Amino acid sequence: MLCNLLCFEDLNKFPLFEDDSLRGGPVSRWIPKGLAGKPVYVFETGGTTGTPKGVCLSAEAMLQVADSLREACSSVDPQQHLVLLPLAVLLDNLGAITALLNGASIYVPTDTGLQGAQINAPRLLSVLLQSQPHSLILVPQLLQGLLQAADAGAPLPRSLRFIAVGGGRVAPSLLERAAKHGLPVFEGYGLSEASPIITCNPLEGEVKDNSCGPAFPGTTIEIRDPDNLERLCAVGEKGEVCARGPQVMSGYWNRPEESEKTFTHGALRTGDIGYVDEDGYLFLVDRIKDVILCGGYNVYPRIIEEAIYEHPMVNEAAVIGIPHPYRGQAPKAFVALHPGDTLSDEELLEFLRERLNKIEMPSAIEFRDSLPKTLVGKLSKKELVAEEKATSSFLESLPTR
């Protein structure tokens, strides 16, 4: 029966699935006997901040999240789902399971030009226009490529009922561009260790600027003081985002010590700094590991990056901390412009002076044709950090006069 749900490279139309037996009902009926409560999936973390780790997830975790997503999308009832990320990636694997639970058809293109860091935007648009999907999942860089083609005048499919974006922070300017093109985009937040969703903006309902939404069904969000994990932060107070819920992993594969450190008082530590407002909406500030300690102040690269993304010529931006003789650390921005655009350091700095305070201003800007990415197209800072460390080590090794 399931083979009739999958369509590989046949772009004429999706196969129609007329049997509603997959819809509704308890998700427990899909769990084979003897596997209840046991890890049946091992997905690798993205490796954007270090060595990838195997995340152990149970069938219940994945199915519970997929069923909740199915319910959240029921108002638009997507019946044709396009898979763009490799199915080995947790984000789109979840999307495929959600589509199956909804009785939807799934199209999995085999064109490698569509997937990951080497996305071919014209080919992507061609597939979208021919297949006319109702739903798909994108990381921000894939959405960027789609909008770049649309900005150049390429037509967009009107079949889309929603585009779910995850795997990285979506710049407000990117959401604004999507809205101008009539693309229904909604953002979620999570990590592989949470199957991979913790919060999600509603398809219908209030969406707050710069928020990644309220807690996902069945999920509890806790904001804990990173310097004293015993203490829960007050509403509006910044701290480490922690989560509880059925979707949380049992641990890392063969890494018991790291697994233990990832939990505090039974809650999953995300490693992200954020706060919750009075309505329960989560606002992310930055990764704890990415915070720049600049002259006694905490400087958040995400704030600088979002300001840089407001410039219409900027295609990609990443900010890291580099050594500074007086402040200890200072921000350095790596920027890739849209093809054909030119921008000087001083022009960009002048643009940023109206948007950032003095301590947040980049001490250096480096323009590149493109920035490092993971296999699925997410921006990756660890290569930039390694390059800067290597450069600093080399300069320190030079003899002084």
Side-chain angles (χ1 to χ4, degrees):
M1 177 174 65
L2 293 183
C3 64
N4 294 325
L5 292 171
L6 300 176
C7 174
F8 290 87
E9 204 57 31
D10 179 4
L11 296 180
N12 293 322
K13 65 175 184 177
F14 280 89
L16 297 179
F17 181 56
E18 300 177 352
D19 185 354
D20 282 344
S21 63
L22 283 175
R23 291 173 177 263
V27 296
S28 59
R29 66 195 177 109
W30 290 98
I31 302 173
K33 292 182 179 179
L35 292 181
K38 297 180 179 179
V40 296
Y41 294 94
V42 179
F43 286 99
E44 279 198 343
T45 59
T48 53
T49 59
T51 304
K53 297 180 285 290
V55 173
C56 299
L57 301 173
S58 67
E60 291 99 322
M62 288 288 287
L63 288 170
Q64 190 65 52
V65 172
D67 195 48
S68 294
L69 277 176
R70 179 194 61 79
E71 183 63 30
C73 302
S74 60
S75 61
V76 296
D77 193 27
Q79 285 300 297
Q80 298 172 176
H81 181 71
L82 176 62
V83 173
L84 284 177
L85 303 177
L87 285 171
V89 175
L90 177 52
L91 189 61
D92 232 349
N93 192 288
L94 175 64
I97 294 174
T98 303
L100 289 175
L101 290 180
N102 197 45
S105 301
I106 300 174
Y107 167 51
V108 184
T110 58
D111 187 343
T112 56
L114 285 172
Q115 298 186 337
Q118 305 302 320
I119 182 173
N120 182 316
R123 172 63 175 150
L124 168 58
L125 271 172
S126 174
V127 170
L128 287 174
L129 290 170
Q130 292 181 66
S131 59
Q132 294 292 319
H134 293 165
S135 62
L136 70 156
I137 298 175
L138 299 176
V139 295
Q141 282 65 45
L142 295 183
L143 178 61
Q144 177 80 284
L146 180 62
L147 291 176
Q148 192 171 323
D151 288 342
L156 294 173
R158 296 304 168 190
S159 61
L160 285 169
R161 298 177 185 178
F162 72 86
I163 299 175
V165 181
R169 182 73 174 96
V170 184
S173 58
L174 201 60
L175 293 175
E176 291 173 5
R177 286 170 60 200
K180 288 180 181 178
H181 287 291
L183 292 178
V185 174
F186 78 102
E187 181 185 4
Y189 158 70
L191 61 167
S192 300
E193 290 87 341
S195 301
I197 186 166
I198 290 176
T199 70
C200 187
N201 275 309
L203 268 176
E204 296 178 349
E206 185 178 14
V207 176
K208 298 189 178 186
D209 290 344
N210 297 314
S211 172
C212 46
F216 196 67
T219 306
T220 301
I221 301 294
E222 299 174 354
I223 307 297
R224 291 183 174 268
D225 184 344
D227 297 321
N228 177 17
L229 293 171
E230 296 278 345
R231 188 177 76 86
L232 291 171
C233 296
V235 170
E237 182 183 359
K238 296 174 184 175
E240 182 173 1
V241 180
C242 301
R244 303 174 189 270
Q247 76 273 40
V248 171
M249 70 170 185
S250 58
Y252 295 119
W253 181 258
N254 288 337
R255 296 197 181 198
E257 292 183 3
E258 289 191 54
S259 298
E260 185 176 354
K261 292 177 183 177
T262 308
F263 290 87
T264 179
H265 301 81
L268 175 70
R269 300 180 62 182
T270 66
D272 291 321
I273 294 291
Y275 64 92
V276 174
D277 71 3
E278 63 279 0
D279 297 319
Y281 279 65
L282 178 66
F283 294 78
L284 292 180
V285 179
D286 220 319
R287 295 283 301 169
I288 291 176
K289 293 180 179 179
D290 289 346
V291 175
I292 301 169
L293 301 177
C294 188
Y297 293 90
N298 286 344
V299 174
Y300 300 102
R302 186 186 299 261
I303 293 174
I304 305 172
E305 290 162 359
E306 289 183 356
I308 294 173
Y309 271 118
E310 290 183 25
H311 198 290
M313 292 186 184
V314 172
N315 185 35
E316 297 172 346
V319 174
I320 65 171
I322 61 172
H324 190 276
Y326 304 111
R327 299 178 182 175
Q329 282 187 310
K332 177 177 180 178
F334 295 84
V335 178
L337 303 177
H338 292 294
D341 287 337
T342 57
L343 187 67
S344 69
D345 296 23
E346 188 50 46
E347 286 171 333
L348 182 54
L349 287 171
E350 185 62 32
F351 177 84
L352 294 176
R353 286 189 183 100
E354 300 178 359
R355 293 162 173 80
L356 300 173
N357 62 44
K358 188 175 181 180
I359 201 74
E360 292 170 335
M361 288 292 292
S363 64
I365 296 175
E366 182 175 328
F367 290 99
R368 297 190 176 191
D369 293 336
S370 63
L371 301 186
K373 300 177 186 68
T374 67
L375 290 175
V376 296
K378 292 169 58 177
L379 287 179
S380 178
K381 294 184 180 182
K382 67 179 183 181
E383 290 84 358
L384 300 175
V385 172
E387 289 177 24
E388 288 298 320
K389 285 184 177 179
T391 300
S392 297
S393 297
F394 172 73
L395 293 176
E396 289 173 1
S397 68
L398 295 177
T400 56
R401 294 183 178 179

